[in-house]
Amino acid sequence: MATATAPVTAAPALAHRVVEHLPHRDGNAWTVAPYAAWWTTRPAARLTQAGRPGALVLAEHPWRTEIAWQLDDREPYEPDLTLDRMAPEPVVREILRLVLPRLDDAAAVAYAYRPAEAEQSRLRHLNLIGRAVRAHGAATLDRVGSQPNSHVVTWGSAGVQYAVTLVGANPACDLSVTGPVAAVERVLPLFLPEPADQTPRFPVRGVRTRLARRLAAHLVQYTPIDQLDDGGLSFGAAIGPFGYVAPPADPIARVRDTTPVAAELHGVGIDHLVHLAALLAR
């Protein structure tokens, strides 16, 4: 690993507040140490978790926070994410959505071509999610997935059914959410960017069904929306989780809060699901 050249100072206070909100793994909390980031002379910190490859590097500026991920063969020379936020909660949210999944994905390359190790890691990661959900009262079911080299953990809560799938050595989860449209509308934004300051008055054109129009008007507050040829909706930006809402069974039916809908999210981080377990299990 390369050695940074900027002088090491005390770790920024924000780093200590951030690790208080990052989820534990197998009982291991995150720890903070002062660090000299290559790209800045501002106070920085290295965030690590026992048993987990790599680290996060966080630098604090007067009006922004910079975050990068680090592995033994990858010393960041610039931030991977820059936020105009200084409070710990939004910083943690974007670390969970955007940074830790990239760190996990890079670390997984080490066993991507070793099926036995990939399966062991896959089951361990699903157990982290299942254990977090069970701690909040939901009953989970583990099963082999329909795709080759895949496993699934499922549970239900408040009329919504959840299924988390991991395939091969890929540590990014596929999450399916099925239930009443009002409940699904509450779940999907948990994984999307914060809402824009201004929402277009006519956010999406050419949406053909009532259900799709309702969902499009809701989701466009957070992320770009596209109407697909099959009548479903795709949503998501260039980075971070993205997804698909299936077309309604009856395109002309009235839409109520109880109308059933099925949605899928891809690229969801393991730690993000652990962090949201209390919300997804009640």
Side-chain angles (χ1 to χ4, degrees):
M1 183 186 297
T3 302
T5 57
V8 175
T9 59
L14 177 61
H16 293 279
R17 299 199 300 273
V18 164
V19 299
E20 292 175 359
H21 296 276
L22 289 174
H24 296 190
R25 278 195 176 189
D26 298 320
N28 296 317
W30 287 80
T31 59
V32 177
Y35 194 70
W38 271 95
W39 68 84
T40 182
T41 57
R42 293 288 304 173
R46 188 169 185 263
L47 283 53
T48 57
Q49 188 176 40
R52 178 183 201 134
L56 300 176
V57 178
L58 183 149
E60 186 178 46
H61 292 256
W63 303 109
R64 69 182 187 275
T65 303
E66 297 175 337
I67 305 148
W69 57 271
Q70 179 190 61
L71 284 171
D72 287 345
D73 59 353
R74 200 255 192 186
E75 175 66 30
Y77 294 96
E78 61 183 3
D80 294 297
L81 179 66
T82 300
L83 303 172
D84 58 352
R85 306 299 297 272
M86 298 296 295
E89 291 82 1
V91 172
V92 166
R93 187 180 194 273
E94 297 309 281
I95 287 174
L96 293 169
R97 278 196 341 107
L98 303 176
V99 184
L100 283 179
R102 294 175 65 185
L103 171 61
D104 284 348
D105 186 59
V109 172
Y111 51 81
Y113 301 103
R114 300 197 290 270
E117 291 183 40
E119 180 175 356
Q120 185 181 39
S121 177
R122 185 165 67 241
L123 294 174
R124 183 175 68 252
H125 288 155
L126 283 179
N127 187 53
L128 287 170
I129 298 165
R131 191 163 63 236
V133 169
R134 290 191 295 273
H136 294 283
T140 64
L141 175 66
D142 299 319
R143 58 180 173 83
V144 175
S146 58
Q147 303 177 63
N149 302 314
S150 67
H151 288 83
V152 185
V153 59
T154 64
W155 70 92
S157 175
V160 180
Q161 297 297 315
Y162 300 92
V164 177
T165 303
L166 282 174
V167 182
N170 185 359
C173 301
D174 296 330
L175 170 66
S176 71
V177 185
T178 306
V181 63
V184 174
E185 286 175 335
R186 289 192 295 271
V187 170
L188 295 183
L190 298 173
F191 302 91
L192 300 177
E194 293 182 301
D197 293 335
Q198 295 182 344
T199 301
R201 184 177 178 188
F202 301 105
V204 181
R205 299 182 183 277
V207 178
R208 296 187 294 275
T209 69
R210 292 173 172 176
L211 180 61
R213 284 195 291 272
R214 168 170 170 163
L215 285 162
H218 177 66
L219 292 175
V220 78
Q221 301 174 74
Y222 309 93
T223 187
I225 302 293
D226 283 317
Q227 170 85 72
L228 302 180
D229 292 341
D230 67 358
L233 293 176
S234 68
F235 59 91
I239 59 173
F242 61 96
Y244 168 78
V245 179
D250 184 351
I252 63 172
R254 288 180 174 272
V255 179
R256 298 178 173 84
D257 285 352
T258 56
T259 298
V261 65
E264 302 171 357
L265 281 154
H266 307 286
V268 177
I270 297 156
D271 298 272
H272 200 179
L273 286 166
V274 171
H275 182 70
L276 294 173
L279 294 175
L280 301 180
R282 69 186 185 194

